[in-house]
Amino acid sequence: MIKKTFFTLLFCTVLSNIAKTQTNAPKSFGPVPTNQQINWQEMEYYAFVHFSTNTFTDQEWGYGEDDPIIFNPTDLDCRQWAKVCKEAGMKGIIITAKHHSGFCLWPSKYTDYSIKNSPWKNGKGDIVGDLAKACKEYDLKLGIYLSPWDRNSAEYGRPEYITYFRNQLRELLTNYGEIFEVWFDGANGGSGYYGGANETRTIDRRTYYDWQNTYKLIRELQPNAVIWNDNGDRADLRWVGNEAGYVGERNWSLLNKTGDVPYEMLHHGLEDGDSWVPGEVNTSIRPGWFYHNYEDSRVKTLPQLLKTYYNSFGRNGTLLLNFPIDRRGRIHENDEKAAIELAKAVKEAFSVDLAKNKKAVVSNARGKNYAANKALDGDKNTYWATADNIIGATLTIDFGRLTSFNRFLVQEYIALGQRVKSFKIEALTVDGTWKELDKQTTIGYKRILVFPTVRATKLRFTILDAKSNPVISNIGVYLAPQILIPPSIVRNQSGAVSIHAADEESTIYYTLDGTTPTIQSKHYTGPFETDGKLIVQAIAFNKESEKSSPASREEFDLSRKDWKIINVTDLESKHLIDGNPNTAWYQKKDGNAPTDITIDMGRQADLNGFRYLPGQDQNSGLISAYQFFVSTDNKNWILADEGEFANIKNNPLWQSKHFKPVKARYIKLRKLMTADAGNTVGYAELEVTTL
Ligand code: FUL
């Protein structure tokens, strides 16, 4: 009897405690993520692979006319892609099943424009299928990129195309197992082959694709997938407004369900948005999305990749990093090496959490189920939550002794919404004073702060402002090894080369003979004069740590010291040839007449190409279609090259073009069209390449 009463009592107490805990639990605030969005966010880092006919034509955007016969990888190995991605610490791979050219990497029943008609495996291959198998083997998830814009299809622009597009989507979402993400690129450039019509077709990106019905199909076939869309109707994920590898420091995972999404909103989200639409940072490990062998030496360096890492999922985003598949059908060795180096550096930086299970006190908590230690226990499902005091709530970690650190990681429990609007961190240093290390805005799923190494006994995290009581699931403190940044190299118009290190303590060593610099190479003491073709490579060396940065490398061609812009009087036009990529000239022109820049190079040369760097204001003046003329006498002009600068709007990098060698003293770049169809044309630099 006594026993029974005792157990009944115990049972009731447990029940009432559970009830108390539950009533005490913080409620969700504002829009919250779906389970699919949470699972996706927790993937953090995954790969893009770009592969198509473009790989074999050296293009970024195929026109849709290339014969499938050119698609002939010599050593295609999807298992190698998966192995590299796995070793790089990625959780999945999104494949360009169909890029804008319309060429399909799977044998679609609905078109002949696919690998079916390529020599690869005598037309019997299926790259999406091979990748699906490889992903399974390496425990990676598979995602599908299916370009809405199709420059091959005769039906593009007509209602019939939507049926074709959905048929293809159905094939991809039915035949290859579980798909984690479906990616609908926003590019709708206009001109194309379109079944031989060779014309420009424009569509209304808000209405043409009838997205709601396409979304229905996806939800039905792949209920666990998330949808990325930059074409009108909002889906589950958003673009962050650039392809350069960073999202805003202030980054809300919210947007409004309807209405325009200008750059500011893509980049920062919307604090009071009515829907959960988190940002995904997409960028390539090289300048381009597709493989070009001339970019083999331009794979991002470790410091560049680390910056991307911190500026993407260190800022409440995920990172979708692209590998251009090469003509063999493999991830190139240089890209593989860079990605593995990044994984190693991240592991080194984040393997020891100096805050894990350390003593911590908070100014305020909702009881012991939501106490300070819940943020330091390494369990993503437990959290520190304050009662109602929001502003000024603190969590102080006591390291127990002087500890060096330079990274701070913090996570909100996003299942209950994103709440924190601003916070700061301070350290109790040797002299007994609190020193502010950083002050920032949003947190979201994960925020990582990077600051110079500090030695301290305690770290204090303060919530300065929040929409509702903060719910912090994780805090980590780390000491990352120092990474030296490669110096920057520029050559001005007169041919003088200057090299700059990111920090003043470093010494710079450089070479001009194509060899990798070491500390035995030439010591840089100041700008030096050069002329003609030149390869400059440089390293920064830190005496204290005895470490060198990776080498930076710049190739220069003809120096522009004798160049004169002869058809323009605006003095600002000098920026076009000043060697400084950060200054630009914006030429304004009324009407629709072609805009030309005519230059006298001062002497004759054997040209085989030119390079154009647009002004970096992504919103105006990016030349998207051009003609390039040459002349020996400024009277008789020859058209040396014409075409498009594909994808310049999203990726406004150097645009290199090659043509049949020709003698010239005068050059003329003509803008035929800008990406925003406006009349202003922006130039940061113009150079030529010679034989
Ligand atoms: C862009 C496309 O136009 C590029 O070619 C690339 O696929 C990139 C991921 O998205 O908008």
Side-chain angles (χ1 to χ4, degrees):
M1 178 70 189
I2 296 175
K3 241 185 186 172
K4 202 173 164 197
T5 321
F6 173 74
F7 280 116
T8 316
L9 250 175
L10 186 70
F11 185 62
C12 290
T13 324
V14 170
L15 267 189
S16 91
N17 274 346
I18 292 176
K20 245 190 239 156
T21 317
Q22 280 169 350
T23 43
N24 201 22
K27 292 198 179 54
S28 72
F29 185 90
V32 292
T34 59
N35 286 340
Q36 291 86 329
Q37 285 169 318
I38 293 184
N39 292 339
W40 161 85
Q41 187 100 46
E42 288 178 350
M43 286 175 70
E44 297 191 348
Y45 181 33
Y46 40 95
F48 230 157
V49 285
H50 272 64
F51 195 35
S52 187
T53 41
N54 304 4
T55 312
F56 300 87
T57 55
D58 242 339
Q59 283 173 314
E60 280 291 301
W61 284 358
Y63 193 71
E65 65 182 346
D66 299 306
D67 193 325
I69 219 149
I70 59 167
F71 186 87
N72 195 11
T74 48
D75 189 16
L76 191 140
D77 185 2
C78 292
R79 293 182 67 240
Q80 186 251 358
W81 310 357
K83 183 166 178 283
V84 171
C85 294
K86 189 73 186 182
E87 282 173 13
M90 296 163 147
K91 301 285 165 42
I93 304 181
I94 301 182
I95 181 170
T96 51
K98 176 179 94 170
H99 201 255
H100 310 324
S101 71
F103 183 78
C104 301
L105 297 184
W106 82 103
S108 172
K109 266 203 314 227
Y110 302 97
T111 180
D112 288 334
Y113 202 51
S114 82
I115 48 168
K116 251 181 347 202
N117 284 309
S118 78
W120 183 66
K121 286 195 173 171
N122 293 321
K124 299 275 176 299
D126 180 350
I127 298 177
V128 179
D130 289 356
L131 183 60
K133 279 195 211 112
C135 282
K136 238 201 185 120
E137 180 182 339
Y138 284 91
D139 191 22
L140 293 164
K141 295 185 180 182
L142 178 68
I144 295 292
Y145 168 116
L146 184 70
S147 171
W149 182 31
D150 186 322
R151 295 174 108 180
N152 175 265
S153 166
E155 307 293 2
Y156 185 77
R158 306 186 185 123
E160 291 77 5
Y161 174 74
I162 305 304
T163 311
Y164 169 68
F165 180 66
R166 290 197 184 130
N167 281 338
Q168 293 200 317
L169 195 58
R170 186 177 280 281
E171 286 182 320
L172 290 165
L173 301 187
T174 313
N175 299 336
Y176 300 104
E178 174 116 353
I179 301 298
F180 82 94
E181 181 169 337
V182 185
W183 221 89
F184 295 128
D185 201 312
N188 285 285
S191 66
Y193 173 71
Y194 304 129
N198 286 310
E199 60 190 12
T200 295
R201 293 187 183 172
T202 47
I203 50 99
D204 179 343
R205 35 196 284 148
R206 281 167 310 141
T207 53
Y208 175 59
Y209 295 106
D210 177 22
W211 286 114
Q212 290 310 326
N213 282 312
T214 300
Y215 294 169
K216 249 191 229 150
L217 180 71
I218 300 172
R219 304 283 185 225
E220 177 196 313
L221 298 173
Q222 293 284 343
N224 295 327
V226 280
I227 306 169
W228 187 102
N229 196 353
D230 187 40
N231 277 286
D233 287 13
R234 217 121 307 150
D236 303 321
L237 312 177
R238 69 169 210 271
W239 186 39
V240 298
N242 65 59
E243 294 178 353
Y246 64 100
V247 63
E249 285 196 291
R250 174 174 44 83
N251 180 15
W252 291 98
S253 290
L254 308 177
L255 272 189
N256 282 338
K257 195 96 216 126
T258 54
D260 286 344
V261 193
Y263 178 81
E264 161 72 19
M265 270 189 221
L266 288 171
H267 202 54
H268 297 283
L270 189 61
E271 182 176 329
D272 297 318
D274 59 22
S275 311
W276 190 270
V277 191
E280 174 187 79
V281 175
N282 66 313
T283 193
S284 185
I285 197 159
R286 298 170 174 231
W289 290 97
F290 283 91
Y291 179 79
H292 312 288
N293 63 0
Y294 55 81
E295 287 182 357
D296 283 353
S297 60
R298 301 196 58 203
V299 176
K300 287 183 183 153
T301 59
L302 179 59
Q304 285 171 321
L305 287 173
L306 273 171
K307 196 164 159 199
T308 301
Y309 174 97
Y310 287 121
N311 292 347
S312 54
F313 65 88
R315 293 183 178 175
N316 186 31
T318 58
L319 174 56
L320 171 57
L321 181 68
N322 177 62
F323 294 111
I325 301 302
D326 67 17
R327 288 189 183 176
R328 293 170 304 176
R330 299 175 72 91
I331 293 178
H332 191 273
E333 296 64 8
N334 297 4
D335 308 41
E336 171 176 357
K337 190 164 158 270
I340 307 268
E341 253 174 36
L342 173 66
K344 219 175 117 224
V346 167
K347 199 163 166 214
E348 261 172 37
F350 293 98
S351 54
V352 181
D353 179 1
L354 302 163
K356 180 105 186 267
N357 293 326
K358 286 277 153 31
K359 237 178 48 216
V361 288
V362 285
S363 59
N364 171 309
R366 292 177 92 84
K368 74 175 191 320
N369 289 318
Y370 306 102
N373 62 333
K374 302 292 178 196
L376 305 179
D377 61 2
D379 181 345
K380 65 175 187 182
N381 293 316
T382 62
Y383 44 84
W384 163 49
T386 64
D388 294 323
N389 303 34
I390 300 166
I391 293 160
T394 60
L395 182 150
T396 308
I397 303 164
D398 187 348
F399 297 111
R401 60 189 159 94
L402 263 181
T403 302
S404 299
F405 55 91
N406 52 17
R407 302 286 183 273
F408 176 78
L409 182 153
V410 55
Q411 296 186 264
E412 284 184 83
Y413 185 72
I414 54 165
L416 296 179
Q418 190 182 350
R419 301 154 178 251
V420 176
K421 289 164 74 164
S422 65
F423 68 99
K424 69 174 177 183
I425 52 168
E426 297 155 296
L428 187 62
T429 52
V430 213
D431 60 11
T433 57
W434 285 99
K435 180 180 167 215
E436 185 171 301
L437 300 177
D438 205 353
K439 190 163 157 190
Q440 288 292 338
T441 52
T442 53
I443 295 178
Y445 168 71
K446 188 177 273 187
R447 188 74 204 269
I448 305 175
L449 303 185
V450 176
F451 44 87
T453 305
V454 60
R455 270 162 70 74
T457 50
K458 289 184 182 178
L459 182 144
R460 184 161 68 199
F461 165 62
T462 307
I463 307 287
L464 297 171
D465 198 3
K467 289 180 172 181
S468 178
N469 53 318
V471 176
I472 305 295
S473 67
N474 184 30
I475 285 180
V477 177
Y478 304 89
L479 177 63
Q482 189 198 11
I483 305 280
L484 275 163
I485 298 179
S488 64
I489 306 169
V490 289
R491 175 159 85 167
N492 71 9
Q493 195 191 341
S494 74
V497 168
S498 31
I499 312 179
H500 302 278
D503 61 291
E504 280 167 18
E505 298 96 275
S506 302
T507 319
I508 296 170
Y509 297 94
Y510 70 97
T511 61
L512 301 177
D513 59 3
T515 58
T516 308
T518 65
I519 53 172
Q520 265 77 49
S521 306
K522 264 201 170 125
H523 178 201
Y524 176 80
T525 49
F528 51 93
E529 292 299 326
T530 63
D531 197 5
K533 275 188 191 263
L534 189 70
I535 299 176
V536 187
Q537 298 190 71
I539 52 166
F541 176 75
N542 185 285
K543 275 202 206 106
E544 208 182 301
S545 62
E546 297 200 340
K547 277 190 177 174
S548 305
S549 72
S552 46
R553 173 192 164 102
E554 284 298 336
E555 282 188 43
F556 301 103
D557 211 294
L558 277 193
S559 94
R560 291 172 289 177
K561 64 172 165 240
D562 300 322
W563 285 32
K564 278 193 191 69
I565 303 172
I566 51 180
N567 68 329
V568 173
T569 48
D570 185 348
L571 291 179
E572 288 298 295
S573 63
K574 65 172 189 271
H575 291 313
L576 206 139
I577 49 177
D578 66 1
N580 183 351
N582 302 317
T583 56
W585 175 52
Y586 286 89
Q587 179 189 31
K588 296 196 179 57
K589 183 140 179 94
D590 297 328
N592 291 320
T595 308
D596 294 344
I597 289 294
T598 310
I599 293 174
D600 175 1
M601 299 191 294
R603 55 190 150 152
Q604 190 157 301
D606 292 309
L607 305 192
N608 64 358
F610 77 98
R611 307 204 307 146
Y612 158 67
L613 180 71
Q616 297 298 294
D617 173 1
Q618 244 171 312
N619 295 320
S620 79
L622 304 156
I623 302 181
S624 56
Y626 69 92
Q627 285 177 324
F628 191 82
F629 300 88
V630 296
S631 165
T632 49
D633 55 9
N634 194 18
K635 283 191 200 93
N636 300 306
W637 289 91
I638 305 169
L639 178 64
D641 189 33
E642 67 181 322
E644 66 180 4
F645 296 128
N647 202 28
I648 196 165
K649 181 150 177 52
N650 291 346
N651 216 9
L653 302 175
W654 276 106
Q655 309 289 317
S656 300
K657 294 289 174 182
H658 301 283
F659 46 76
K660 273 218 291 318
V662 59
K663 287 205 184 314
R665 170 170 167 168
Y666 300 89
I667 56 171
K668 186 186 286 181
L669 174 63
R670 172 170 294 175
K671 157 245 149 181
L672 293 182
M673 203 161 38
T674 52
D676 64 345
N679 283 325
T680 299
V681 190
Y683 312 83
E685 292 297 313
L686 182 66
E687 288 179 358
V688 290
T689 56
T690 56
L691 270 186

